[in-house]
Amino acid sequence: MTTSLIETTHDEPDRQAVDIAAQAVRDGEVVAIPSDALYVLVADPFNLNAVAKVYEAKGREIHRSLPLLVDGVQMAEEYSSWLSSSFYLLTRRFWPGLLTVIVPASAKIPLRVTGNTGRLALRRSAAPLATGLIERLETPLIATSANVSGRPTCRSGFEVLGTMDGRIRLIMDGGVIDGPPATTIDITSAQWRLIKEGGVSRRDIDACLAT
């Protein structure tokens, strides 16, 4: 596979860049884009061939779920089987931004996307290219870290190329993203659980849920 790299801007991607990335996703390809949490691989979660390509590109274990980007709470509600009051408190405070929340998946989401767990990790990004893609495609997007599993997440398009050349079809290079990764928490049970700490601290989450 030949991997193409297209230069754009992180803060104000041009319309053509969004169009090219959107068409690649429609075609069932995996695309690396800059987000507010480093670079991510995006793909269509309802195209099982595309889902398989993401797992293969990352060398990811099939029992591990693939996170999704959504455009807000309404889309999260559509693809979750239920949402607790904690979800609404957290998303009101931290979305869009660096918080990924694990919730029970609805039957609309292919089980393979959840790693056969029935749970779904959701985030609303503040990055213009990510939000523009979701708006253009009118669907959530797989958005998992742009790296081979076990290696550091890439911070630039050229890092992605060096790591994933030949593994994915397209890289949208928006320059260096020099920020923290997203925090991931699981709220599928009564007591929330920190999976990975990043741009949102445990203390901030505790304070939010104590209100």
Side-chain angles (χ1 to χ4, degrees), residues 65-78:
S65 64
L66 294 170
L68 297 188
L69 289 181
V70 295
D71 65 1
V73 168
Q74 186 174 350
M75 186 177 282
E77 290 172 336
E78 182 177 356

Side-chain angles (χ1 to χ4, degrees), residues 28-50:
E29 300 296 345
V30 180
V31 181
I33 66 169
S35 81
D36 44 350
L38 311 180
Y39 273 70
V40 295
L41 304 180
V42 299
D44 180 357
F46 305 106
N47 181 327
L48 292 184
N49 285 330

